[in-house]
Amino acid sequence: QLQLVESGGGLVQPGGSLRLSCAASGFTLDYYAIGWFRQAPGKEREGVSCIDSSGASTHYADSVKGRFTISRDNAKNTVYLQMNSLKPDDTGVYYCAAECNGLDPNAIDYWGQGTQVTVSS
C-alpha cells in the first residue's frame, strides 16, 4: 500500500532546468526522510539528495551541490527536486525513495518507479 510516484522527467539541453516531483500515497510523508537517487545504464545507483521529515535538514552529493535543491510540502504529501544548470552526466533514471540515510541506497525501504532525465544538446 505504501507508494512513491515520481514525475517531471524529460529531455533538456545542457544548462537547462527540470523540477521532479515525488508524491506519496498509503502513508503520511511527514514522518519520513525522502531522498532522490539516480542510475545511468551500466552504473550503480547513487544518492543525489535527502531531506529530513520536517525539511529542516538537507544533504546533497558533491556532484550536484549548488545546482540542485530538494524541498518538501508535507501538506501536499510531495517532495521536489529542482535541478538547474543540468549537465550531460546528470542523465539517468531518477528515483524517489524512503527513508534516506546519508545518501546510501542500501538504507532504502521504499522505491518509486523512476523517471527518466536526459540532458543532451
Side-chain angles (χ1 to χ4, degrees), residues 23 32 59 95 101 105-106 115:
Y32 293 88
H59 296 87
Y95 299 90
N101 183 14
N106 294 318
T115 185

Side-chain angles (χ1 to χ4, degrees), residues 5-118:
V5 180
E6 305 95 332
S7 62
L11 173 64
V12 297
Q13 298 182 82
S17 298
L18 284 173
R19 189 179 75 159
L20 306 183
S21 297
C22 173
S25 64
F27 65 99
T28 302
L29 196 62
D30 307 47
Y31 294 96
Y32 293 88
I34 304 297
W36 288 94
F37 297 76
R38 67 187 182 189
Q39 187 169 23
K43 295 186 177 181
E44 295 184 350
R45 193 167 298 184
E46 63 176 346
V48 174
S49 186
C50 180
I51 188 167
D52 72 1
S53 60
S54 70
S57 179
T58 59
H59 296 87
Y60 298 92
D62 288 341
S63 59
V64 307
K65 195 171 298 182
R67 300 187 296 119
F68 291 10
T69 303
I70 191 169
S71 62
R72 66 192 301 156
D73 186 342
N74 286 343
K76 296 182 178 179
N77 224 24
T78 302
V79 171
Y80 305 96
L81 184 68
Q82 178 67 45
M83 305 186 295
N84 298 326
S85 302
L86 284 163
K87 305 174 181 179
D89 58 4
D90 292 319
T91 294
V93 178
Y94 282 68
Y95 299 90
C96 179
E99 288 190 82
C100 54
N101 183 14
L103 303 181
D104 182 3
N106 294 318
I108 300 303
D109 295 317
Y110 309 106
W111 292 98
Q113 86 289 348
T115 185
Q116 177 70 43
V117 172
T118 302

